[in-house]
Amino acid sequence: MGSIAEPAPEVNYSKPLGIRFIEYIKRSAISYKTHQAIVLIVTFFAYLTYHATRKTTSVVKSALDPQSPDLDLKSPFSWRRAYSHKPLESTRNSWVLGAGWRHLMVLMEQHCLELDVAFLFVYAVGMFFSGHAGDRMDLRIFLTIGMVGTGLFTALFGIGYWANVHLFYYYLIVQMLAGLFQSTGWPSVVAVIGNWFGKKKRGLIMGIWNAHTSLGNITGSVVASILLKYGWGWSMVVPGLGIAFVGIVLFLFLPVSPESVGASMDDDELLSPRKEGEEVTEPLLRTKSDDKDAVGFLEAWRIPGVAPFALCLFFAKLVAYTFLYWLPFYISHTAIEGRYLSNEESGNLSTLFDVGGVVGGILAGHISDRLGARAITAASFMYCAIPALFFYRSYGHVSMTLNIILMLITGMFVNGPYALITTAVSADLGTHSSLKGNSKALATVTAIIDGTGSIGAAIGPLLTGYISTKSWSAVFTMLMGAALIAGLLLTRLVVAEVAAKIQGLSELTRSRSPETEV
């Protein structure tokens, strides 16, 4: 078991205050394994709160008029139904007559898709800049700024409730600024994880760790729904304060890299052998790179594997986020066993897609670790998602049991490669051998890959909004086509991994042949 040396006075200042306090209480230095545990826990809850604040808006939009007696708070579509038969003039009069938040809710319903797309677009564009900045400054400080900023603008959305702000563009601008600060999260937490964990079990570890995304979505929905009865402002302010608080905890305890705290590698990390046939990526580089310049944006794009995986994630996220935004609506408008589910039942049922996604992320990470082949694993999952989507559309309505089973399977194959690419693959490519020991590319590479994917995440729900008015079968055809393209984009990397496996197998066979032994 490795451990760090006793902290020297001249390097104490670089350690987070919380780490120094723990070492002061223990009267001894923290081990390398303990540092890893702290990193996993802190980054897990950090990104959980990022997703929790991201989810609250969808709950608030469905219940923006808490004083309206004819509004069903449990139904996100009841407001649209209630006003669909009323002329625009009457809704304008409701503003003058002081009918609570009716006017703003009509605007929210008319522009809810634009609100979501604006958030995702700013998030995607901001991701590229965040990755560039994250490799050039202390990630602990950068994450703290991002989390506190996210909390501030999430809370400002809710403060509009008490400030009696009825201007739609106020909420649009606040939401876009929240998306900008949200973009700081993913490149930074993946870079920190990549700094601390070598490639040996990175896929499995990050697959389990990536469950924060689904848990954050669930937490945000539950907290926002519970607080609605006290006024929708609380549903935004409390999660905003929550992420700001976790950001402060992160500032106090997160060690961004072993070098930043003077930690020593464990023997099993130093001596872990390279897996046979590995070609696309290298294990995390162990040399210090503090004296090297951060990798540029265009240079990061030229790292082998970055462009194919980024474009693959564009289509993978297009499929995943279409389900995230539209699955409850699709379920509520599809008869299962001859019965239409309520909006509340549809929302609860749709969470099983996330459950399947958690399983898929862990499974994809574990398989890619065992095979030593990220591209083969990601492409295989995307190809398997095609029949899963077809069967869910064709047979999901037959029975509730079949719907649940097919939804779990679909979530597993759709979210598995999405989770693998945004975690282990990004960390692998951020420490590629072509960088020659320079580890200052993790955040940039992660931002490029996930930022490109986030553009697909914005386009998918937007296209679905238009195509679904014609046919849901056409929507699923689009999703199956996107999954096929995602798999095909990795063809060159798959061929390279297969060739490496065959070459490694032939060399192993040759080394064991009688002629070689003689």
Side-chain angles (χ1 to χ4, degrees), residues 171-312:
Y171 298 97
L172 178 64
I173 293 172
V174 167
Q175 185 74 343
M176 292 173 69
L177 290 172
L180 182 63
F181 279 94
Q182 282 264 356
S183 68
T184 62
W186 192 244
S188 302
V189 295
V190 172
V192 173
I193 292 292
N195 287 337
W196 279 99
F197 292 90
K199 191 182 175 185
K200 187 177 181 181
K201 292 184 179 179
R202 184 184 286 167
L204 177 61
I205 291 171
M206 298 187 86
I208 297 172
W209 171 79
N210 195 58
H212 52 49
T213 299
S214 298
L215 292 177
N217 290 336
I218 295 170
T219 301
S221 297
V222 171
V223 171
S225 298
I226 291 175
L227 293 173
L228 276 178
K229 60 184 177 182
Y230 301 107
W232 63 262
W234 291 110
S235 297
M236 300 297 294
V237 170
V238 171
L241 293 175
I243 189 173
F245 172 77
V246 175
I248 295 172
V249 173
L250 179 143
F251 177 79
L252 293 175
F253 287 95
L254 181 67
V256 297
S257 67
E259 292 83 7
S260 68
V261 292
S264 301
M265 278 291 175
D266 288 341
D267 292 339
D268 59 336
E269 289 285 338
L270 286 170
L271 301 177
S272 58
R274 185 183 180 186
K275 291 186 177 181
E276 180 186 345
E278 285 181 354
E279 175 181 349
V280 178
T281 55
E282 286 285 341
L284 186 63
L285 303 176
R286 307 304 184 196
T287 57
K288 286 190 66 175
S289 59
D290 293 339
D291 56 338
K292 298 188 178 182
D293 294 331
V295 174
F297 182 77
L298 294 179
E299 184 182 354
W301 267 106
R302 290 193 291 266
I303 296 173
V306 169
F309 274 115
L311 294 174
C312 172

Side-chain angles (χ1 to χ4, degrees), residues 311-320 322 382-383 385-386 389 456 460 463 475-489:
L311 294 174
C312 172
L313 188 63
F314 175 95
F315 291 97
K317 255 193 165 182
L318 184 152
V319 178
T322 296
M382 291 311 306
Y383 290 138
I386 298 173
L389 289 164
L463 288 176
V475 171
F476 276 83
T477 300
M478 176 195 73
L479 297 179
M480 288 186 284
L484 176 62
I485 295 173
L488 291 175
L489 284 167

